[in-house]
Amino acid sequence: MAQDNFSQVTEFILLGLSDTQELQLLFFTLFLLAYSMVLLGNLLIIVTVTTDPKLSSPMYFLLCNLSFIDICYTSVTIPRVLVALLSGHKAIAFEGCMAQLFFLHFVGSSEMFLLTVMAFDRYTAICRPLHYTAIMARGACWALLAACWVGGFIHSIVQTVLMLQLPFCGPNTIHSYFCDMPPVIRLACADTALTEWLMASNSGLISLGCFLVLVASYVLILAKVRARLSQGHWKALSTCASHVMVVTLFFLPCIFTYLRPAGALPTNKYVCVMYTIFSPMMNPLIYTLRSSEVKESMWRLWKR
């Protein structure tokens, strides 16, 4: 009965990273450069892989889809941040906030699943080379890719439904630069203990589970090739090293953010920069610099 006297929140205020005008200009410049690098780098990878028949292996098929996911992932948050930094308008409608939360977790969890599939691809190529063509056939690759998107959708719809069940009656200030589960759930006018544990079990265990699978796959790869480091195996290890860098940059901040109830500790919005901006920005740099095939294909594309 008491909740009937509360007014429903219709918008949230995103405080961003700083209130200082000079820092806001600095953040706008850095975010714009990072977003431009994400768009240009990943679009270049997509164009290179799709136009070069030599890059038709499952690894490059998955890399192309990772680039597409990175573009979608950063586009969920960064354009809104750039507009807010430039105009000073920090309000976001309740519906817009829930939509941003949904697509952030939808694309983000799909990327987690895809990185796990990429690790399985490298494990199969190195540890079971004679069966690699049969296991990672094009049909199997499409099925794994579809499973990544379906898994991401199921995860995200569960998070969003749990969030929509909560009443929001004020305050409406979010201490972050985008809508996400930990800072938003603290604004609910209800006991959120059970919801926090359910969300932590969902997002946190997905992050931790995928990370452990990735670590296990690379441990198996190292155990397989440690006794016979030929030139081909050095090349395989070099590819795995780039994957490990991506995994570390992306998963560890996610585990730190989601594998605990939202009210346990304040969310560090600077940690969020690691998995929302820095990791997608580094993906094209890491993969192109570590892959001679991609660099050669880009050079041929440039000459054409």
Side-chain angles (χ1 to χ4, degrees), residues 151-162:
F153 178 81
I154 294 173
H155 158 75
S156 185
I157 202 69
V158 170
Q159 295 288 86
T160 307
V161 168
L162 288 174

Side-chain angles (χ1 to χ4, degrees), residues 43-55 293-304:
L43 283 174
L44 181 59
I45 289 178
I46 292 173
V47 172
T48 302
V49 173
T50 54
T51 57
D52 192 340
K54 295 182 178 180
L55 301 180
E293 291 91 345
V294 175
K295 288 188 291 185
E296 292 172 1
S297 181
M298 286 181 176
W299 177 244
R300 289 194 298 268
L301 181 64
W302 173 259
K303 289 193 294 184
R304 290 203 303 267

Side-chain angles (χ1 to χ4, degrees), residues 120 127 211 278:
F120 173 74
C127 299
F211 180 71
F278 190 70

Side-chain angles (χ1 to χ4, degrees), residues 19-47:
D19 292 329
T20 308
Q21 187 66 31
E22 292 77 11
L23 286 179
Q24 286 186 351
L25 181 60
L26 174 63
F27 285 134
F28 174 82
T29 304
L30 294 177
F31 276 48
L32 181 61
L33 289 174
Y35 188 52
S36 300
M37 290 179 65
V38 170
L39 292 180
L40 294 175
N42 286 294
L43 283 174
L44 181 59
I45 289 178
I46 292 173
V47 172

Side-chain angles (χ1 to χ4, degrees), residues 192-206:
T192 61
L194 177 60
T195 305
E196 288 180 30
W197 279 107
L198 290 174
M199 290 184 169
S201 300
N202 189 359
S203 295
L205 290 182
I206 286 177

